[in-house]
Amino acid sequence: MIGDIDEVLNRQVPPGLYDTAAGQPMWTAFRSQSADKGLMSTLRGRVAPQEAHRRHTEDHGRSSVGTWGVKVGDANEHGLACVDDGAAAENPHDHASVDFNGLTKAEARIAGMALHETACQHGPLYVPGQGVS
């Protein structure tokens, strides 16, 4: 468990989960995807948002429109634990997961929507071509 409730975890938003018309991620970018076993992937706050984006795109060959932040405390308020799992062999160093396991589908939806709302209120932490906020 990550104990610092003020730590901001770096979440990458893939193009398919970004609403271009609204100019922000869709709420579904802030929940675990079906293949993720109930875990939403992030990088710890000690990684700069631009570096988090670089690792995601260049090191792992994935697409991302940018980096948004999720506070540990915001996740905790909605029954979500934040776990430092960077030591696991399948995860990169500095990896952390927001754990949606144990929530009903409705609870997970509400939690994901709440994380989306707070992340969007704070705006992107990094968008290629726009820099760091």
Side-chain angles (χ1 to χ4, degrees):
M1 297 278 284
I2 298 172
D4 180 0
I5 62 170
D6 293 321
E7 181 174 351
V8 178
L9 303 176
N10 294 294
R11 175 70 173 159
Q12 298 306 310
V13 175
L17 297 178
Y18 187 78
D19 183 344
T20 308
Q24 67 181 25
M26 296 175 189
W27 80 267
T28 52
F30 295 92
R31 68 171 186 179
S32 67
Q33 304 303 312
S34 57
D36 298 331
K37 301 177 184 169
L39 303 172
M40 184 180 84
S41 181
T42 68
L43 283 183
R44 297 288 306 262
R46 61 183 168 244
V47 178
Q50 184 172 1
E51 174 62 11
H53 183 270
R54 188 202 65 75
R55 288 186 194 183
H56 186 80
T57 57
E58 294 178 22
D59 293 356
H60 300 287
R62 298 180 184 134
S63 298
S64 173
V65 297
T67 307
W68 272 258
V70 174
K71 275 191 173 184
V72 170
D74 291 337
N76 293 167
E77 283 181 25
H78 296 283
L80 304 169
C82 298
V83 182
D84 183 339
D85 53 7
E90 68 275 8
N91 292 331
H93 181 65
D94 295 320
H95 191 271
S97 293
V98 179
D99 190 350
F100 282 77
N101 290 299
L103 297 182
T104 66
K105 281 189 177 190
E107 290 169 336
R109 180 181 173 94
I110 290 167
M113 292 175 91
L115 293 180
H116 168 262
E117 184 178 331
T118 59
C120 289
Q121 284 174 354
H122 294 292
L125 302 178
Y126 172 76
V127 174
Q130 293 181 14
V132 181
S133 325

